[in-house]
Amino acid sequence: MKKILVFIATVSLCIAQDSGWTIYNTSNTDLPSNSVQTIVIDINGNKWIGSSSGLTKFDGTDWTTYTTSNSGIPHNDVKVIAIDSVGYIWIGTQSGGLAKFDGNSSW
């Protein structure tokens, strides 16, 4: 069964599966906010989700959120995410500038 990732503007994260929808939001996942602003999928299939409340990695099972209180991210309001050819995750924030993350622990 093939899954297609879809972004619904600042409301929630959804996966189209056959003819139905699976809705991912703060009431049924560990997403820190329903204000999803950007999403990128890395080479391993991890979903990197930028919201007004941090950067979240979803590996298909586990949700890990990086915020200013638990990581080196400069601001919680993540506006854009890009992954370069080496695999670094670049995060553009609302007013904290730009950060580079190795995807594991180094900012």
Side-chain angles (χ1 to χ4, degrees):
M1 175 173 13
K2 191 171 187 174
K3 294 182 180 180
I4 302 167
L5 189 62
V6 178
F7 169 69
I8 304 295
T10 69
V11 177
S12 59
L13 179 65
C14 303
I15 297 227
Q17 191 172 11
D18 296 330
S19 62
W21 290 86
T22 302
I23 307 297
Y24 296 90
N25 57 42
T26 57
S27 65
N28 64 2
T29 71
D30 288 331
L31 271 173
S33 170
N34 286 330
S35 179
V36 174
Q37 301 175 124
T38 184
I39 185 167
V40 174
I41 303 171
D42 69 22
I43 195 166
N44 297 315
N46 296 310
K47 288 78 175 165
W48 294 90
I49 304 148
S51 73
S52 60
S53 298
L55 173 70
T56 301
K57 175 185 171 186
F58 177 53
D59 66 9
T61 303
D62 296 316
W63 300 81
T64 305
T65 298
Y66 302 93
T67 66
T68 56
S69 64
N70 69 2
S71 72
I73 195 169
H75 196 278
N76 287 333
D77 196 354
V78 177
K79 296 295 188 184
V80 64
I81 305 167
I83 301 174
D84 67 21
S85 62
V86 179
Y88 286 112
I89 300 150
W90 293 84
I91 298 111
T93 67
Q94 173 63 32
S95 59
L98 181 67
K100 179 176 80 169
F101 182 45
D102 70 4
N104 296 306
S105 62
S106 182
W107 287 89

